[in-house]
Amino acid sequence: MHTKIATTLIVGALLTPAAGFAAEKSMTHGAKEAVSDSAITTKIKAEFAKDKMVSAMHVKVDTDNKGVVTLSGNAKSKAEADHAVKLAHDTKGVTSVKNDIVIGDAGGKAMTHTDKTMTQSVKENVGDAVITTKIKAEFAKDKMVSAMHIKVDTDDKGVVTLSGNAKSKAESDQAVRIARDTKGVTSVKNDITVQAK
């Protein structure tokens, strides 16, 4: 009887790390997929921001873990919507594009003063988001900088704050250089923590 219990305990002890490893591997895989999805979304948004035909402010991008991109929001014309689909489709990692873009403006009413103020605020926020998106896209392309570990935040004056972790001072310096070289950036604040070896 004691031998049977001992055997059960030993087998259980041997299987527990394997189960933990499988769960850890699954979590790591999930995190990689999430980063991959956001990297695709970031790349597409960066392309929209660079393109004069597509409004990065009105066309929304969502990517699932299979590389399927859903575009939604508004476009001024069918040509703009079609061009947005083409840009998304041509992005590395995209398997297919679902077009839920609505042609035409959202309302067509005359703007009140409050609407104008809100629109200005939205434009500023979009400007900040566009700068952040451009920097993240450059990080995703750069072999030296980890887009997963370095966070980017842009205020309404074009001041970029970098935070998170870097493996080396060289990686931190490269991240600052990329951010500084991005159009619309007025200055870069470096809050990146360089990990000790």
Side-chain angles (χ1 to χ4, degrees):
M1 181 73 177
H2 290 297
T3 310
K4 196 172 187 181
I5 291 170
T7 305
T8 305
L9 289 173
I10 290 168
V11 169
L14 290 171
L15 290 177
T16 302
F21 177 73
E24 188 179 308
K25 193 174 179 185
S26 173
M27 284 171 55
T28 305
H29 183 65
K32 280 183 183 171
E33 282 179 354
V35 168
S36 163
D37 312 342
S38 65
I40 290 171
T41 298
T42 299
K43 283 180 190 174
I44 295 169
K45 285 182 177 177
E47 288 304 315
F48 286 0
K50 286 191 284 185
D51 197 281
K52 289 181 177 144
M53 190 173 184
V54 177
S55 169
M57 192 163 118
H58 295 115
V59 179
K60 295 168 188 67
V61 183
D62 188 48
T63 309
D64 74 9
N65 63 0
K66 294 177 181 72
V68 177
V69 173
T70 302
L71 300 179
S72 58
N74 298 305
K76 291 180 195 131
S77 64
K78 186 175 182 321
E80 181 185 359
D82 291 345
H83 193 59
V85 170
K86 183 185 181 315
L87 288 173
H89 205 274
D90 291 347
T91 303
K92 188 178 177 184
V94 173
T95 55
S96 68
V97 179
K98 185 179 177 201
N99 183 0
D100 288 341
I101 299 170
V102 176
I103 309 299
D105 65 358
K109 301 179 295 190
M111 275 194 189
T112 64
H113 176 69
T114 308
D115 290 337
K116 285 178 183 170
T117 305
M118 284 175 63
T119 302
Q120 181 60 34
S121 173
V122 167
K123 279 183 181 171
E124 283 174 1
N125 288 339
V126 168
D128 312 342
V130 167
I131 290 170
T132 298
T133 301
K134 283 181 184 176
I135 294 169
K136 286 182 176 178
E138 289 304 314
F139 284 0
K141 287 192 280 185
D142 194 280
K143 290 182 177 143
M144 190 178 208
V145 177
S146 169
M148 196 164 118
H149 296 114
I150 297 178
K151 294 168 192 66
V152 182
D153 187 48
T154 309
D155 74 9
D156 61 349
K157 293 174 182 71
V159 177
V160 172
T161 303
L162 301 178
S163 58
N165 299 306
K167 290 181 192 138
S168 64
K169 186 174 182 322
E171 181 184 1
S172 172
D173 292 346
Q174 176 71 352
V176 170
R177 196 174 303 114
I178 288 170
R180 196 171 284 138
D181 290 347
T182 303
K183 188 177 177 186
V185 173
T186 55
S187 68
V188 179
K189 186 178 176 199
N190 184 359
D191 287 341
I192 298 169
T193 303
V194 176
Q195 293 171 331
K197 290 184 180 177

